[in-house]
Amino acid sequence: MPLLILTMLRAGWALRRDSQFTSLALLAGIAIISGTGFYSIVEGLRFVDALYLSVATLTTVGYGDLAPKTDAGKLFTVVYMLVGVGILLAFVTTLAQRAITRRADRLVRGPAKRQHAQQ
């Protein structure tokens, strides 16, 4: 698991100059922050609980231990899921795609470097 996290961090660092990736990262951050703020204010949740509910909703985990209780919270959550899941999915897909590409490039370059060194 630590290796996977390190690989994703490296991929994120490599993508920091990619405008599409930075836009997706910004949108994902805004989605999490806006959900956290909404759940804190409207549902009266503590910050940590609101953050937890926001991330659980956007990642489609949905443990069910926390759920919106007000009608406004339920309606917000419907829109939040429809919009936010797409944003988060695009962000994670871009990050994973970059991690896979970096790994494939290293595997291809490795044998080529050894062959060149032997000649």
Side-chain angles (χ1 to χ4, degrees), residues 69-90:
K69 307 235 183 307
T70 65
D71 287 344
K74 291 173 185 176
L75 292 172
F76 172 81
T77 302
V78 168
V79 174
Y80 188 59
M81 284 187 282
L82 292 173
V83 174
V85 168
I87 291 169
L88 202 62
L89 181 62

Side-chain angles (χ1 to χ4, degrees), residues 49-70:
D49 291 334
L51 177 63
Y52 171 78
L53 180 57
S54 296
V55 173
T57 300
L58 290 182
T59 58
T60 70
V61 172
Y63 288 119
D65 53 343
L66 289 175
K69 307 235 183 307
T70 65

Side-chain angles (χ1 to χ4, degrees), residues 9 18 33 38 40 46 51 60-61 72 80 106 109 114:
L9 287 173
D18 182 340
I33 291 167
F38 180 87
S40 290
R46 294 180 319 122
L51 177 63
T60 70
V61 172
Y80 188 59
R106 279 196 309 233
R109 279 192 311 226
R114 285 191 292 269

Side-chain angles (χ1 to χ4, degrees):
M1 184 66 148
L3 184 59
L4 175 64
I5 293 170
L6 181 62
T7 301
M8 291 309 226
L9 287 173
R10 284 182 179 160
W13 183 254
L15 284 166
R16 72 189 182 281
R17 291 189 185 99
D18 182 340
S19 63
Q20 180 184 3
F21 176 77
T22 53
S23 296
L24 286 171
L26 182 63
L27 283 173
I30 289 170
I32 291 170
I33 291 167
S34 64
T36 302
F38 180 87
Y39 292 129
S40 290
I41 294 166
V42 174
E43 294 292 320
L45 295 175
R46 294 180 319 122
F47 173 79
V48 173
D49 291 334
L51 177 63
Y52 171 78
L53 180 57
S54 296
V55 173
T57 300
L58 290 182
T59 58
T60 70
V61 172
Y63 288 119
D65 53 343
L66 289 175
K69 307 235 183 307
T70 65
D71 287 344
K74 291 173 185 176
L75 292 172
F76 172 81
T77 302
V78 168
V79 174
Y80 188 59
M81 284 187 282
L82 292 173
V83 174
V85 168
I87 291 169
L88 202 62
L89 181 62
F91 172 73
V92 172
T93 300
T94 303
L95 190 60
Q97 191 174 28
R98 176 61 181 173
I100 290 167
T101 302
R102 282 178 53 98
R103 176 78 174 145
D105 287 348
R106 279 196 309 233
L107 289 173
V108 168
R109 279 192 311 226
K113 281 184 179 177
R114 285 191 292 269
Q115 287 176 353
H116 183 66
Q118 290 173 353
Q119 293 175 354

